[in-house]
Amino acid sequence: MQNFDVTIIGAGAAGLFCAGVAGQLGLRVLLVDHSEKVAEKIRISGGGRCNFTNRDTTPANFISDNPRFCRSALSRYTPRDFIALLEKHGIAFHEKHKGQLFCDRSAEDIIQMLLAECDAGHVTRWQPCSLKAIRHLASSPREISTSSYEIDSDRGVIHCAAVVVATGGLSIPKIGASDFGYRVAKQFDLPLITPRPALVPLTFDEAAWAPFAQLSGLSLPVKIETGNKKDKIAFLEDLLFTHRGLSGPGVLQISSYWESGTPIRLNLAPDADVADLLTSAKATSRKLIANELAALVPSRLADTWVAQGAALGHNWARPVNEATDKSLAALAERLSRWELTPTGTEGYRKAEVTAGGVDTRVLSSQTMESKQPGLYFIGEVVDVTGWLGGYNFQWAWASGFACAQGLAAKLLAPSP
Ligand code: FDA
């Protein structure tokens, strides 16, 4: 039997960070992970360079059933705080795009920094270590400062005053993702917002997609939107054609908002007035319509676009001056307001994150403690999902920090 103040389950971004802070505040911390290696998602993130935060983080960059929940933690541990930590460790970084910060060298720098912070807090780490059962032994808050949880592990029984669940979401199961956190929530009667893949490529009916599958690998800037007038959301980002559908930053962003069975809308030439351009071209040019379009979009896309005309009752494979106004207007409308309904997503195999999770209505926004005394949830297992661009790691740091502060306040407070 081993005694700790707190057992943190999951040595990913949130768990490692929380462990380091809690340990340095004076708590006896055990950090366990069922994988041999810690922080596999940090290792593969941002193409190996880890987009570790976003300078412009605001609560509006997060999706949750309870959108105000994330405000408190995000305001108490900001991107500036995490940048200061990197500077303390001499880690070089750069801004790439829209406030997104990446390591100059490698994501491994972030992992080593988090491990060093854990060492500074004398955190005990067990990995691989599998956990079997968690039991709550105390029922009154007074008893919480003694051992109140008992956990069966393959390294023996653990006794601790508090348990922090930091097991992340379901995406990329082959590197350690599990539903452990959701099962713990259910065990203690804490509700879940149904988990779903997010930041994920969208797929389409194979036959309907056939004309576009040949564009696989093609990327271009677009405006992409979903939702109705009231809840419409749009992003100006790159789109990538794939064999099975659409990917790229714009599609990943919209996928987190997309509801099954509803359409998405794309403007493939967001910086141009396509109708106006084609009308002027008709008056002055004898070029093929595809050649005129190639000034706005990649020529492979222009060729595919005009080839669709026949199926839609138009002849777009002709010189622009020979086309009717109606047919040019239809072409412009289809290019700037292409509406299509995905059949699904590439699922957890390819999703960067899991949206949904432990319902924040049963968590304290100050400390991440749940209604079950002494049981905390942090990071992606919670129903707070960031946009693409470093926001999910910022949530991992911020929720981990709030939790560590809350644990210290509760467990290190002088006894009355
Ligand atoms: P995380 O998944 O990091 O850690 C959970 C840990 O719990 C893992 O170590 C796992 O092994 C462990 N665990 C699970 N089940 C367990 C069990 N039963 N027992 C013990 N341990 C268990 N975000 C971002 O902001 N910038 C980026 O650049 C990227 N890039 C990116 C790329 C790819 C390919 C993916 C898949 C994801 C990203 N993300 C990202 C998202 C980001 O990685 C993610 O949101 C955070 O890692 C979440 O941190 P957590 O600590 O909550 O979970």
Side-chain angles (χ1 to χ4, degrees):
M1 183 112 53
Q2 303 222 38
N3 282 290
F4 293 91
D5 293 322
V6 52
T7 302
I8 301 179
I9 306 171
L16 276 168
F17 186 66
C18 181
V21 177
Q24 290 178 45
L25 287 170
L27 291 165
R28 290 171 308 141
V29 179
L30 171 66
L31 177 62
V32 294
D33 201 294
H34 65 171
S35 296
E36 197 163 344
K37 282 186 171 171
V38 297
E40 281 292 63
K41 281 198 186 152
I42 298 182
R43 194 166 279 112
I44 60 167
S45 67
R49 294 235 164 120
C50 186
N51 176 196
F52 56 82
T53 192
N54 193 300
R55 272 193 204 284
D56 308 322
T57 302
T58 73
N61 304 116
F62 294 84
I63 303 162
S64 170
D65 226 43
N66 180 17
R68 296 177 67 84
F69 176 82
C70 61
R71 297 170 91 101
S72 168
L74 290 173
S75 70
R76 284 182 294 135
Y77 194 83
T78 66
R80 251 176 295 125
D81 295 317
F82 197 72
I83 291 167
L85 188 62
L86 260 76
E87 284 166 348
K88 184 179 120 191
H89 286 259
I91 297 173
F93 61 90
H94 59 279
E95 182 169 338
K96 221 175 177 177
H97 172 65
K98 296 187 177 174
Q100 300 168 7
L101 302 186
F102 289 76
C103 297
D104 282 359
R105 213 181 63 86
S106 156
E108 197 60 38
D109 286 349
I110 301 284
I111 299 173
Q112 291 310 320
M113 176 188 85
L114 295 172
L115 290 173
E117 289 291 310
C118 283
D119 288 347
H122 307 290
V123 172
T124 304
R125 286 195 285 119
W126 291 356
Q127 89 260 343
C129 171
S130 55
L131 305 179
K132 291 174 190 90
I134 302 181
R135 289 178 295 280
H136 183 225
L137 305 178
S139 53
S140 84
R142 260 164 52 77
E143 288 170 283
I144 214 91
S145 58
T146 63
S147 288
S148 57
Y149 283 89
E150 205 171 69
I151 306 173
D152 295 334
S153 85
D154 61 6
R155 299 198 190 194
V157 177
I158 306 160
H159 263 206
C160 50
V163 175
V164 178
V165 179
T167 47
L170 297 171
S171 23
I172 325 275
K174 69 175 187 222
I175 57 165
S178 83
D179 65 351
F180 184 87
Y182 308 137
R183 281 190 277 122
V184 173
K186 281 182 193 157
Q187 178 188 340
F188 291 100
D189 286 330
L190 302 171
L192 294 180
I193 303 299
T194 307
R196 61 183 195 283
L199 299 181
V200 63
L202 297 172
T203 54
F204 295 87
D205 173 73
E206 203 180 324
W209 194 249
F212 307 106
Q214 60 181 336
L215 294 174
S216 176
L218 185 91
S219 159
L220 72 160
V222 300
K223 181 175 179 195
I224 181 166
E225 63 178 48
T226 193
N228 299 315
K229 262 189 198 147
K230 227 173 62 193
D231 58 357
K232 192 163 75 183
I233 175 99
F235 291 92
L236 266 171
E237 288 275 10
D238 281 3
L239 166 110
L240 173 72
F241 283 87
T242 72
H243 285 293
R244 286 162 46 85
L246 294 172
S247 186
V251 173
L252 299 188
Q253 298 284 34
I254 218 74
S255 73
S256 300
Y257 290 90
W258 174 70
E259 283 182 23
S260 181
T262 65
I264 58 169
R265 288 172 297 278
L266 288 162
N267 183 343
L268 297 174
D271 296 328
D273 184 335
V274 184
D276 197 43
L277 187 129
L278 289 175
T279 310
S280 318
K282 184 178 168 171
T284 56
S285 164
R286 292 178 178 189
K287 281 193 207 164
L288 288 172
I289 295 174
N291 292 345
E292 291 295 341
L293 284 185
L296 301 175
V297 295
S299 55
R300 271 167 75 200
L301 177 61
D303 291 340
T304 303
W305 217 252
V306 297
Q308 301 172 76
L312 300 167
H314 296 287
N315 179 2
W316 291 334
R318 66 198 316 188
V320 64
N321 60 322
E322 291 175 15
T324 63
D325 290 346
K326 195 173 155 200
S327 138
L328 289 179
L331 174 57
E333 169 75 8
R334 190 161 167 83
L335 195 75
S336 50
R337 216 185 133 76
W338 186 27
E339 185 168 298
L340 60 175
T341 303
T343 45
T345 74
E346 291 283 5
Y348 290 118
R349 206 171 45 90
K350 293 254 176 98
E352 276 204 10
V353 290
T354 302
V358 177
D359 190 340
T360 58
R361 294 174 188 90
V362 294
L363 303 181
S364 154
S365 63
Q366 300 293 308
T367 65
M368 306 293 138
E369 187 174 15
S370 70
K371 279 194 175 154
Q372 165 67 34
L375 180 64
Y376 298 68
F377 292 84
I378 57 173
E380 198 180 312
V381 73
V382 175
D383 172 37
V384 173
T385 306
W387 288 5
L388 188 76
Y391 303 101
N392 284 298
F393 281 137
Q394 187 56 38
W395 172 247
W397 320 136
S399 58
F401 183 81
C403 176
Q405 299 284 332
L407 285 164
K410 179 166 184 159
L411 301 178
L412 299 175
S415 312

